[in-house]
Amino acid sequence: MAFDGGRVAARGFQYQYLRTVEALLASVRTGRAAVCRIEGPGDTVSLQQADSVDFDLTDADGRSLMAVQVKSAGAGRTVRAREAVAVLVHLVTGIDAERYQLITSAVPDEGCLRLAELLRRNRGDVLRIKAELKDLLVKAPAAWGICQALPEEHWERLARAAVEFDGRSDGQLRAGLNDALRAERGRAGQGLSRRAGGLVLGHLVAEVMRRAADPGLANWDVRDFHRSVLVGDEELIAAVGRQEFGIVYGQLPPIPEVVRADLVDGIAEVLSPGEEGAEGVRTCAVTGLSGLGKSSLAAAHIADQAFRYDAVFWVDAESEEALVASFARVLAHLTGSEEPAEVRDPRLVRERVHAALQSLPGRWLMGVRRCERAPGQCLDTASRARPGHCHDAGRALARCARAHRSEPDER
């Protein structure tokens, strides 16, 4: 697969914001941090400072307790000691904090493992860290030269730094966060309902993204975050489909008050990604007589399992015209357009949607309503959205939900 800088950047931000939510959840439990500054302090005076911190946690007086830089990577990508040292130096020179942390999903080489260990073992011991770091970087003179130029104050900061290697897949990270949300809501006597529990993580990630884009909103009070964690089902359901929700796109049918858990679990089993990194498009057809609640069942699955996806699309295929209009709206969301483009050539719109879906960095889901009216178009989308194979759901499609996963070369 050719290198695609846009996909790499998108995956990096998704990973960063998921880890931000995870840090906020941990802060709720520990009670030390009062505020999470998304994208770091908002009063920086240099580009280096603004770029050095992905998020930091502060106490009630504004002192930074933990400054974090997050580096994502594609499957199998390796991080070397000199690369990790460069990131840590950039971090410690950009902000004064009690602790510093580099979080990376890359696979560490032997030198990087030694770096993490020497920082852990010699925490606070500047002289020993200097000596061991010089030995570690003997074959990387440029990296050691950067370290040598550090003033004593920054060496003291470096002695409070750590490196975390995150070996979880995207699916494992999302599932772990969903479990943590379930536990936190359980402590408040709420839990995660089958009716809308899967929407909570998407709600939180969308809020992180919104705050990251506006320096005036970047300081997220941990208590306010906790209130967002405990958001009620009705508020979540009301937010689905609104632009600010940012995860579900399209007019989702009403989410049923009574969840048919066995059927919802059946859909989830069919759409399960199986082995991590498996290729192909998965399809699930929900068929039956009119009025049995097929669309509401698909909506119930989305509400229960939305935490597994980066984006969810709802498409109306009742007629060729409705399908083309839905595709135009999907394309607008995928390209960031304010309004759907004027459709002159329906085939071109579908091709652009196919291409855009191929470029999405993570897992997505599409629900198609009344697919029996245009089964060829639905199956064409399923087969062309990802090079490889798809599970053909046949021409009996009445309502369908479709899931897809693609892994970029690096995140």
Side-chain angles (χ1 to χ4, degrees):
M1 181 182 293
F3 178 82
D4 187 332
R7 294 178 70 195
V8 172
R11 170 56 69 191
F13 281 120
Q14 288 172 359
Y15 179 69
Q16 175 186 327
Y17 296 153
L18 287 167
R19 289 304 308 252
T20 303
V21 171
E22 190 170 50
L24 277 159
L25 268 173
S27 298
V28 169
R29 293 192 296 271
T30 62
R32 272 202 78 198
V35 173
C36 176
R37 297 188 292 197
I38 299 167
E39 300 293 350
D43 56 354
T44 52
V45 296
S46 72
L47 182 60
Q48 173 175 334
Q49 288 178 315
D51 188 46
S52 65
V53 183
D54 284 328
F55 68 86
D56 75 326
L57 301 168
T58 71
D59 63 16
D61 295 322
R63 291 187 294 265
S64 184
L65 304 174
M66 170 77 81
V68 180
Q69 177 69 229
V70 181
K71 295 292 184 183
S72 63
R77 186 177 182 276
T78 301
V79 60
R80 294 170 290 186
R82 65 172 180 263
E83 296 167 338
V85 166
V87 173
L88 288 174
V89 168
H90 187 53
L91 180 59
V92 302
T93 56
I95 186 174
D96 183 17
E98 185 177 303
R99 295 171 59 201
Y100 302 87
Q101 188 171 42
L102 164 62
I103 298 173
T104 179
S105 60
V107 178
D109 68 1
E110 183 180 351
C112 204
L113 287 172
R114 286 176 57 195
L115 170 66
E117 175 59 20
L118 77 85
L119 289 173
R120 185 196 64 78
R121 187 177 63 251
N122 302 310
R123 177 173 170 77
D125 190 336
V126 174
L127 292 179
R128 188 173 292 276
I129 287 177
K130 277 185 179 181
E132 293 192 22
L133 198 55
K134 180 179 180 180
D135 180 62
L136 177 64
L137 298 176
V138 66
K139 294 184 179 180
W144 174 241
I146 295 173
C147 295
Q148 279 186 303
L150 291 175
E152 195 63 26
E153 176 190 2
H154 291 170
W155 271 108
E156 291 174 358
R157 294 180 183 181
L158 189 60
R160 304 194 298 270
V163 183
E164 177 190 333
F165 305 113
D166 186 358
R168 295 172 295 179
S169 68
D170 180 78
Q172 290 169 335
L173 174 57
R174 288 176 176 274
L177 278 169
N178 199 60
D179 289 343
L181 288 169
R182 186 186 306 278
E184 186 57 41
R185 287 169 65 95
R187 280 189 280 270
Q190 291 186 230
L192 281 178
S193 75
R194 292 300 301 268
R195 187 180 179 215
L199 300 171
V200 177
L201 180 57
H203 166 70
L204 296 173
V205 172
E207 181 64 9
V208 171
M209 293 172 64
R210 186 178 74 89
R211 290 173 177 271
D214 186 345
L217 300 173
N219 290 6
W220 199 352
D221 188 287
V222 173
R223 292 169 299 182
D224 289 340
F225 168 80
H226 193 224
R227 284 191 283 270
S228 295
V229 169
L230 303 180
V231 63
D233 284 2
E234 296 305 325
E235 186 176 348
L236 278 171
I237 292 168
V240 172
R242 293 207 308 254
Q243 184 175 358
E244 65 268 24
F245 190 82
I247 300 299
V248 180
Y249 303 102
Q251 190 60 50
L252 196 68
I255 297 170
E257 294 186 11
V258 178
V259 178
R260 293 172 284 182
D262 55 337
L263 297 178
V264 172
D265 290 342
I267 294 176
E269 183 178 352
V270 171
L271 296 180
S272 172
E275 291 297 323
E276 197 64 40
E279 295 288 333
V281 177
R282 296 179 180 272
T283 62
C284 175
V286 182
T287 65
L289 298 175
S290 178
L292 289 180
K294 298 180 290 297
S295 292
S296 63
L297 178 59
H301 167 76
I302 290 171
D304 184 53
Q305 297 290 313
F307 72 92
R308 299 187 185 278
Y309 304 102
D310 295 330
V312 176
F313 306 98
W314 188 262
V315 170
D316 184 1
E318 185 169 6
S319 65
E320 175 72 12
E321 293 75 16
L323 182 62
V324 170
S326 290
F327 270 35
R329 287 191 293 272
V330 169
L331 184 62
H333 288 300
L334 290 170
T335 58
S337 301
E338 292 292 332
E339 297 289 341
E342 182 181 352
V343 178
R344 292 190 174 91
D345 184 349
R347 185 182 297 275
L348 178 60
V349 172
R350 289 195 295 271
E351 289 175 352
R352 290 182 65 191
V353 169
H354 298 157
L357 290 175
Q358 288 181 36
S359 298
L360 282 183
R363 185 178 298 159
W364 51 266
L365 178 101
M366 181 180 286
V368 185
R369 181 174 180 269
R370 296 192 180 279
C371 210
E372 77 278 10
R373 303 296 177 87
Q377 302 294 352
C378 297
L379 293 175
D380 183 54
T381 294
S383 62
R384 295 180 59 187
R386 167 87 172 146
H389 66 277
C390 75
H391 298 282
D392 189 339
R395 295 183 62 85
L397 287 169
R399 309 283 190 270
C400 78
R402 182 169 53 77
H404 159 73
R405 176 174 180 78
S406 79
E407 290 289 349
D409 293 325
E410 65 181 80
R411 287 178 269 179

